[in-house]
Amino acid sequence: MEGATSFGLTVSFTAGLLSFLSPCVLPLIPSYITFITGMSLEDVHHARRSALVHSLLFVVGFSTIFILLGAGATALGRVLGAYEGWITRIGGVLIIVFGLYLLGIFRIDAFSRERRLHLATKPVGYLGTLLVGIAFGAGWTPCIGPILGSILTVTMGSADFSTGMLHLSAYSLGLAIPFLLAAVALQHFLDFFTRFRTKMVLVQRFSGALMVVIGILLVTNYFTILATYLQALTPEFLKSRL
């Protein structure tokens, strides 16, 4: 079980990184940063401390939404605990469907519609930034739905609150770390985006392929088997620090 948890957290963190690199999040990062700080791109370069504080509060806001979603999924999993095996298999099928969507095999209209929250002005102060993070976390969910939905599906199968919260915390961390780095090194981010933007579709396709593989592992119960095998290969000195 410990091996499955460690492997699952790695998958969740990677999913957060892939969400950040997705076509519906990455291009808008400069806009988010200037919106929450109330500064122009040029001013952000000279006020990194303020940008970092606002970005941290923004991260706390959207992470709160994701972790609450994880708690809800875990609670549902506990209610349906007697059907854990079926939940895992059905969840695996859903993840495969999400993966095929990201691969462009077919469309899911619910994920194609624009549902990001649009605000003309930001509430004043640090509390306002926190509230905007919560609002944008809710507005992001359709955009990153396939990836986030896959993590929630895995979380539901755990039926353990601590594990569920850890999964969504790892996912939020994977999304938050590059956002914070972009806020304090905005020019480097803009340079990176200029080089990377032509590869965003490849990231989406890679995400889809990874989800199909994870879905198949869940359906066949090889997810737990693989996690246990990887745990056995982990050196003892690393296990003691996990």
Side-chain angles (χ1 to χ4, degrees):
M1 181 62 68
E2 181 181 350
T5 300
S6 299
F7 182 58
L9 292 177
T10 301
V11 171
S12 297
F13 180 79
T14 302
L17 290 175
L18 292 174
S19 292
F20 180 84
L21 295 172
S22 66
C24 63
V25 173
L26 190 66
L28 298 176
I29 294 302
S31 298
Y32 289 143
I33 292 173
T34 56
F35 182 76
I36 63 176
T37 59
M39 296 183 284
S40 66
L41 290 177
E42 184 178 351
D43 291 337
V44 170
H45 294 308
H46 304 291
R48 293 183 177 180
R49 184 173 182 177
S50 177
L52 178 60
V53 173
H54 279 286
S55 297
L56 282 170
L57 291 170
F58 183 76
V59 162
V60 170
F62 71 68
S63 297
T64 299
I65 291 295
F66 296 152
I67 292 172
L68 288 176
L69 287 173
T74 303
L76 181 59
R78 294 187 70 172
V79 171
L80 303 175
Y83 306 97
E84 180 178 352
W86 282 104
I87 291 175
T88 300
R89 290 181 177 85
I90 294 172
V93 172
L94 288 175
I95 292 175
I96 292 173
V97 171
F98 291 154
L100 293 175
Y101 164 78
L102 290 181
L103 285 170
I105 305 300
F106 55 81
R107 291 174 54 85
I108 300 177
D109 290 338
F111 296 141
S112 301
R113 297 182 188 128
E114 173 67 46
R115 285 199 181 95
R116 269 190 301 273
L117 183 64
H118 297 279
L119 296 175
T121 57
K122 182 183 82 70
V124 177
Y126 291 130
L127 178 59
T129 299
L130 178 64
L131 295 176
V132 168
I134 293 173
F136 271 81
W140 260 346
T141 50
C143 171
I144 57 178
I147 297 178
L148 179 59
S150 300
I151 300 303
L152 291 173
T153 300
V154 174
T155 300
M156 187 185 300
S158 70
D160 178 79
F161 273 112
S162 60
T163 301
M165 302 283 274
L166 283 173
H167 274 296
L168 272 297
S169 296
Y171 174 81
S172 299
L173 193 62
L175 187 57
I177 288 177
F179 184 87
L180 294 174
L181 291 176
V184 297
L186 188 55
Q187 185 57 53
H188 291 292
F189 170 80
L190 293 174
D191 293 340
F192 162 77
F193 176 69
T194 299
R195 298 190 304 269
F196 183 79
R197 58 184 174 183
T198 58
K199 300 179 177 62
M200 284 191 294
V201 174
L202 294 178
V203 171
Q204 181 170 312
R205 298 293 185 262
F206 173 78
S207 302
L210 181 62
M211 289 166 60
V212 169
V213 171
I214 292 174
I216 292 173
L217 290 175
L218 287 171
V219 171
T220 59
N221 198 38
Y222 273 96
F223 187 88
T224 302
I225 295 173
L226 178 61
T228 303
Y229 175 73
L230 292 175
Q231 180 74 4
L233 295 178
T234 304
E236 289 298 328
F237 76 92
L238 286 179
K239 289 182 183 179
S240 64
R241 289 168 172 76
L242 293 176

